[in-house]
């Protein structure tokens, strides 16, 4: 499937990139990273224009973030309330919501590109936990600009190796996201054990 | 009966799975990074355009046009698959011809020749 999508990039680059980044912000399994790397390589070879590539990828990602946040805000309220009311998950949900509101910029900014596998869930959680829209949107804009600039730039610089680079970056992003989840849960387990022992 | 200070049941299994995933994917990342230099240009693929092949592989635009059998500049922005389809040729045949031309024009290839 990736090869079919890659073949669409030189001919319909902006549309493909817009849809790929939009859908990946909604947690759909679209290989948007490799598509942006390929778009960078096609910019380097003169097949695509840098401005349209960046504008399309950034536009799709920003609208995708807003859609995820909106879905959380409109449809996630009930789900979030059930989590808050649950005897087991209530404490975690309250702490997660309060941490997200306190650290909205780093959480949203870094989940756009460094921990991008977590991005769609942060969008939904931010909407459901009623995180302020202006703060979310500014962090989303800067984070997505970093994501798009980084990937298109890497594709431009390493046009000869985009497939190897794509595999490296995908595994690195997965590893970072899993490490963050493991660290947060590990800290929670550690604190719980200490509290029980006290 | 659940106690308020109990963690949800999913926390421990998710922690274990996340830790294993982080280790496996971290190992894969390290392996990719260490062997990155070893992988120079990969093989020619049907999604590549003539422009990209000229940019990435050591082949001149003139030689590329000769392999494709198209005037220079024609086929710009089209992947090899599309060029082959327009001519009613299997994409694999065109890819193989381009690959052979690229291999022949590598500086290290025996008898490699470049257009002036």
């Amino acid at each position: 499937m990736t090869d079919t999508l890659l073949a669409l990039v030189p001919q319909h680059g902006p549309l493909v990139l817009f849809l790929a980044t939009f859908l990946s912000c909604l947690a759909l399994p679209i290989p948007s990273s490799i598509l942006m790397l390929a778009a960078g390589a096609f910019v380097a070879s003169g097949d695509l224009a840098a401005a349209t590539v960046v504008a399309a990828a950034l536009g799709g990602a920003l609208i995708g973030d807003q859609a995820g946040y909106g879905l959380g805000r409109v449809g996630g309220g009930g789900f979030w309330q059930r989590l808050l009311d649950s005897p087991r998950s209530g404490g975690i949900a309250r702490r997660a919501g309060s941490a997200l509101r306190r650290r909205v910029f780093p959480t949203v900014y870094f989940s756009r590109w460094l921990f991008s596998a977590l991005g769609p869930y942060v969008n939904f959680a931010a909407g459901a936990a009623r995180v302020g829209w202006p703060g979310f949107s500014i962090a989303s804009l800067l984070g997505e600009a970093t994501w798009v600039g980084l990937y298109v730039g890497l594709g431009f610089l390493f046009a000869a190796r985009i497939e190897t680079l794509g595999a490296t970056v995908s595994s690195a992003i997965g590893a970072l996201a899993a490490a963050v989840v493991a660290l947060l849960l590990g800290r929670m387990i550690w604190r719980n054990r200490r509290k029980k022992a006290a | 009966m659940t106690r308020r200070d109990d963690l949800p049941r999913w926390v421990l299994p998710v922690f274990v799975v996340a830790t294993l995933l982080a280790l496996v994917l971290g190992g894969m990342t390290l392996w990719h990074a260490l062997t990155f230099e070893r992988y120079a240009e990969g093989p020619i693929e049907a999604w590549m355009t003539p422009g990209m092949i000229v940019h990435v592989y050591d082949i001149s635009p003139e030689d590329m046009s000769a392999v494709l059998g198209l005037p220079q500049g024609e086929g710009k922005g089209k992947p090899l698959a599309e060029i082959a389809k327009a001519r009613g040729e299997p994409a694999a045949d065109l890819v193989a011809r381009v690959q052979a031309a690229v291999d022949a024009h590598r500086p290290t290839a025996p008898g490699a020749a470049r257009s002036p």
Side-chain angles (χ1 to χ4, degrees), chain A residues 2-4 6-8 10-11 38 41-42 44-47 84-92 94-95 156 158-165 167-168 170-175 178-179 181-183 185-189 192-193 195-196, chain B residues 1-12 14-15 17-19 21-30 32-33 35-43 45-53 55-57 75-79 81-82:
Chain A
T2 304
D3 278 10
T4 311
L6 284 172
L8 292 173
Q11 289 186 294
F42 287 125
S45 66
D47 289 310
L84 291 174
D85 293 342
S86 152
R88 275 176 177 264
S89 305
I92 295 175
R94 260 186 295 280
R95 282 199 298 277
F156 184 91
F158 297 100
R161 299 175 189 186
I162 54 166
E163 287 186 298
T164 315
L165 194 61
T168 311
S170 298
S171 54
I173 281 172
V181 172
L183 279 174
L185 293 180
R187 197 174 74 154
M188 200 187 291
I189 292 167
N192 187 262
R193 294 231 163 127
K195 204 165 91 182
K196 279 186 174 173
Chain B
M1 183 78 183
T2 59
R3 285 169 37 203
R4 274 198 175 270
D5 60 347
D6 275 347
L7 287 172
R9 270 192 296 271
W10 55 264
V11 169
L12 192 60
V14 173
F15 168 75
V17 170
T19 305
L21 259 180
L23 290 172
V24 170
L25 292 173
M28 281 169 66
T29 307
L30 195 65
H32 282 308
T35 56
F36 188 68
E37 280 303 314
R38 207 184 299 164
Y39 293 96
E41 308 91 45
E45 306 270 2
W47 56 264
M48 293 177 176
T49 60
M52 187 185 189
I53 294 164
H55 176 73
V56 168
Y57 302 88
K76 180 178 159 66
K78 284 186 184 168
E82 197 64 32

Side-chain angles (χ1 to χ4, degrees), chain A:
Chain A
M1 187 187 99
T2 304
D3 278 10
T4 311
L5 287 174
L6 284 172
L8 292 173
V9 174
Q11 289 186 294
H12 312 285
L15 179 65
V16 171
L17 289 170
F18 179 89
L19 290 174
T21 54
F22 173 75
L23 294 173
S24 68
C25 287
L26 296 174
L28 284 151
I30 307 288
S32 50
S33 303
I34 185 82
L35 292 176
M36 281 200 287
L37 289 170
F42 287 125
V43 169
S45 66
D47 289 310
L48 291 175
T52 51
V53 161
V54 170
L58 189 57
L62 290 175
I63 296 172
D65 282 352
Q66 293 296 328
Y69 177 88
L71 279 174
R73 188 123 188 168
V74 174
F79 170 72
W80 189 252
Q81 196 55 49
R82 273 202 301 282
L83 278 182
L84 291 174
D85 293 342
S86 152
R88 275 176 177 264
S89 305
I92 295 175
R94 260 186 295 280
R95 282 199 298 277
S98 135
L100 189 55
R101 273 187 288 273
R102 269 199 324 272
R103 303 189 189 101
V104 62
F105 185 83
T107 307
V108 175
Y109 177 74
F110 288 111
S111 62
R112 301 308 91 180
W113 60 281
L114 191 58
F115 309 109
S116 57
L118 302 175
Y121 311 102
V122 170
N123 293 341
F124 187 81
R130 306 249 154 198
V131 166
W133 180 79
F136 172 85
S137 298
I138 291 169
S140 152
L141 172 65
L142 295 175
E144 297 298 10
T146 307
W147 184 50
V148 171
L150 191 68
Y151 278 74
V152 174
L154 282 173
F156 184 91
L157 290 175
F158 297 100
R161 299 175 189 186
I162 54 166
E163 287 186 298
T164 315
L165 194 61
T168 311
V169 168
S170 298
S171 54
I173 281 172
L176 282 169
V180 165
V181 172
L183 279 174
L184 290 174
L185 293 180
R187 197 174 74 154
M188 200 187 291
I189 292 167
W190 171 254
R191 283 183 172 181
N192 187 262
R193 294 231 163 127
R194 272 204 348 194
K195 204 165 91 182
K196 279 186 174 173

